[in-house]
Each structure stands twice: as C-alpha cells, then as structure tokens.
C-alpha cells in the first residue's frame, strides 16, 4: 500500500479500535443527551403536539439525528486529542517517532469521524424503528448529511483539542459550541420564529442546513453547503494541527 494511504489507514484504524473497545463509556458521554431529547421532545411532547400535517415527533426526529452526529464527532475528537496532548503527553512523541505526518493523521481522524458519526446515527435509527416501527427520513440523504456534519464537527473537535491548554477553557468552549447549537438551529421549532437578522445568521451554521435539508423535498443545495463548509473547516483544522504539532 502507498505510504500516505497506509498512514491514514493506521490512524483511522487506531481511532475506531479505541472507540469500539470503550463504546459503553463513549455512549454514555455522547449519546445520552440526544436519547433524552428523543424521548422527552419526540415521544413526550410529540404525542401532544402536531406541526403542519406531521406529528411533532416526525418534525424533531431529523434534528435529533443531526445533534447525535454533532455530539459524537465533536466530543470524541476534542476530548481524545486534548487528553493525548495535555494529560498522556504522547501525541507529539507519536508524531516524532511514528512514520505518520500530521496531515496524514488529520485525514485518518476525519475518516474515522465519518464512520463514528454513521455508526451513532445507525444506532438511533434502530432505536426509532424499535419504538415507532418506521422513519420518514431518506436513508441516502441521511448518510450524506451525517458524513458531511461528521467531517465538520470532527474538524472543530481537532481544532479545540489541539489548541487549548487550559482545561477550563477547553470545557467551556465545548459547552459554548454544543449547547447553543442544540437549541438554536431549528431542531425543536421552525426558523420562521426568529427575527430576520438572527435567522440569516443561524442559517449559516451547517447543522441548520443539514436539519433543513432532511426536512426538504430538494435537499441537494443544503448538502452541497454542508460539505463545502466541512471541507473548508477540515483544511483549517489540518493547518492548525500541523502548526501546533510541528512547533
């Protein structure tokens, strides 16, 4: 195998192996909140409310799937990189002694982020089928949006995990990213409720476009936007990772 591809594959394999052997801990840390959203707002409030011609559960379900991608990809990679650099202190040593360049490591992280995001979404789909017996979400579009958001939030996780040295700054950044986006990106109520200026700002967030795309009859432009921003953020994360590790 060509050396760069082999290095990317080794990094991806290591991340996925570590994720699977610690799956119970990661599931509690990153999947519990979306699961509670699903039961509280979907099955709880959803049985009492309708939006348009659909049940409220059908309205919030695509958004909760995308929240799952955000939680899993951002939290996993930001935490793992921060711990490996600030606590275990092996990341720079690994880059110096292993035949893996920083950019190859970032590519491996991003591919692993796609697999982890799809795995988490698949778990939620199985749970939804077991509870309600069906889902109105298109599987093909769901895979496209989940992979794009996985790249975007994995990139943000890499930037956060590699940039912070203060643990208080690191945890606060995670809270400031995850909590507002969970409630402001049109998951639980329509964007039409916002003032126009606020709505224009919220629509720039890829999570908003992914949720709107899954609810739309023509999701292609939403998907292209999500992947465009994701690839730009991936390039930025690779440059920051390279600068931090090399310096």
């Amino acid at each position: 195998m060509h050396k760069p591809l082999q290095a990317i594959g080794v990094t991806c394999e290591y991340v996925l192996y570590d994720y699977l052997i610690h799956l119970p801990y990661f599931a509690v840390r990153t999947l519990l909140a979306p699961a509670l959203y699903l039961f509280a707002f979907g099955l709880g409030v959803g049985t009492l409310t309708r939006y348009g011609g659909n049940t409220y559960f059908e309205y919030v379900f695509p958004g909760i799937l995308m929240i799952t991608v955000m939680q899993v990809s951002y939290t996993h990679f930001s935490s793992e990189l921060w711990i490996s650099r600030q606590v275990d202190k092996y990341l720079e040593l690994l880059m110096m002694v292993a035949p893996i360049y920083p950019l190859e490591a970032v590519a491996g992280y991003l591919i692993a982020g796609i697999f982890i995001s799809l795995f988490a979404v698949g778990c939620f789909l199985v749970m939804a089928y077991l509870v309600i017996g069906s889902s109105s979400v298109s599987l093909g579009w769901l895979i496209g949006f989940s992979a794009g958001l996985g790249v975007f939030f994995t990139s943000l996780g890499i930037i956060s995990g590699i940039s912070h040295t203060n643990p208080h700054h690191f945890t606060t950044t995670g809270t400031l990213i995850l909590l507002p986006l969970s409630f402001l990106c049109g998951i639980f109520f329509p964007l039409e409720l916002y003032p126009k200026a606020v709505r224009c700002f919220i629509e720039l967030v890829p999570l908003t476009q992914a949720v709107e795309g899954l609810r739309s009859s023509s999701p292609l432009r939403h998907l292209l936007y999500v992947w465009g921003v994701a690839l730009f953020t991936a390039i930025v994360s690779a440059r920051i990772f390279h600068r931090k590790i090399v310096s």
Side-chain angles (χ1 to χ4, degrees), residues 35-47 49 56-57 60 64 183 188:
L36 292 176
Y37 290 149
L38 180 66
F39 281 96
F41 293 97
L43 297 179
V45 179
T47 58
T49 310
Y56 187 64
F57 180 87
V60 299
I64 293 176
F183 287 96
F188 300 107

Side-chain angles (χ1 to χ4, degrees), residues 69-70 73-74 77 110 113-114 117 145-159 177 181 185 204-208 210 225-235 237:
V69 172
M70 176 182 70
S73 52
Y74 177 85
F77 287 93
L110 294 176
I114 292 175
S117 299
F145 282 114
S146 299
L149 271 192
V151 171
F152 176 71
F153 283 107
T154 296
S155 301
L156 288 186
I158 292 172
I159 294 172
I177 291 175
L181 293 186
C185 292
L204 295 176
V205 182
L207 176 61
T208 306
Y225 178 86
V226 169
W227 270 101
V229 177
L231 293 177
F232 173 78
T233 313
I235 294 172
S237 71

Side-chain angles (χ1 to χ4, degrees), residues 11-206:
T11 304
C12 179
E13 182 182 1
Y14 168 76
V15 174
L16 294 178
Y17 176 77
D18 183 67
Y19 183 80
L20 290 177
I21 62 174
H22 296 103
L23 184 59
Y25 304 102
F26 294 141
V28 171
R29 189 176 70 186
T30 60
L31 299 180
L32 180 60
L36 292 176
Y37 290 149
L38 180 66
F39 281 96
F41 293 97
L43 297 179
V45 179
T47 58
L48 307 174
T49 310
R50 298 186 69 84
Y51 179 78
N54 301 321
T55 65
Y56 187 64
F57 180 87
E58 294 171 325
Y59 179 79
V60 299
F61 187 64
I64 293 176
L65 284 173
M66 295 298 97
I67 286 179
T68 303
V69 172
M70 176 182 70
Q71 292 271 4
V72 167
S73 52
Y74 177 85
T75 305
H76 182 79
F77 287 93
S78 63
S79 300
E80 292 302 307
L81 286 174
W82 190 87
I83 291 171
S84 66
R85 195 172 192 218
Q86 304 300 331
V87 180
D88 297 336
K89 299 185 181 302
Y90 72 81
L91 191 57
E92 280 90 346
L93 179 62
L94 181 66
M95 291 294 109
M96 286 188 291
V97 300
I100 300 176
Y101 293 109
L103 295 182
E104 296 168 348
V106 171
Y109 288 141
L110 294 176
I111 295 173
I114 292 175
F115 280 111
I116 290 173
S117 299
L118 294 177
F119 177 75
V121 165
C123 292
F124 263 80
L125 277 181
V126 170
M127 182 170 62
Y129 277 111
L130 292 176
V131 174
I132 63 174
S134 65
S135 171
S136 59
V137 178
S138 167
L139 184 60
W141 291 114
L142 178 61
I143 292 174
F145 282 114
S146 299
L149 271 192
V151 171
F152 176 71
F153 283 107
T154 296
S155 301
L156 288 186
I158 292 172
I159 294 172
S160 178
I162 205 71
S163 300
H164 289 99
T165 56
N166 187 307
H168 302 295
H169 296 169
F170 170 70
T171 54
T172 301
T173 299
T175 301
L176 290 176
I177 291 175
L178 299 180
L179 192 58
L181 293 186
S182 297
F183 287 96
L184 296 178
C185 292
I187 287 88
F188 300 107
F189 48 86
L191 297 176
E192 288 77 9
L193 297 179
Y194 290 116
K196 186 176 180 180
V198 176
R199 180 178 174 179
C200 290
F201 178 75
I202 296 297
E203 285 180 339
L204 295 176
V205 182

